[in-house]
Amino acid sequence: MLAPRVLEAWLRQAQPGDAFEYYRGMLGPARSPLGPIKAERQRRALDRLAATAWGLAESGRVHLLQRRAGPCSFSYL
């Protein structure tokens, strides 16, 4: 699981048009206690990463995108 600092470090050196996949799967269910990630620690780490990405988008620093990766799987960019 990526740490939010990895996303922030990537952003510091990113150029316009660059993309960073911070999660692959189904993010909403993965963040839920009833989802596929059973380990509380991993789920909290994913939640922090997703919250960091959302905060960067709200501040206008990035655009968040989803790309279908397969059945019931998406790349979160």
Side-chain angles (χ1 to χ4, degrees), residues 4-68:
R5 68 180 184 278
V6 174
L7 176 58
E8 292 164 344
W10 173 84
L11 184 58
R12 284 192 291 277
Q13 59 82 40
Q15 299 296 311
D18 286 352
F20 181 86
E21 181 181 79
Y22 65 94
Y23 185 73
R24 183 175 286 212
M26 292 185 69
L27 187 57
R31 293 174 73 183
S32 167
L34 302 176
I37 300 176
K38 299 303 179 195
E40 175 80 18
R41 184 176 177 188
Q42 287 181 319
R43 201 171 52 254
R44 281 194 315 247
L46 178 58
D47 197 50
R48 283 191 303 273
L49 178 62
T52 298
W54 188 260
L56 290 168
E58 285 185 322
S59 69
R61 296 179 64 199
V62 300
H63 296 284
L64 297 182
L65 304 170
Q66 287 176 262
R67 181 179 297 145
R68 184 176 294 279

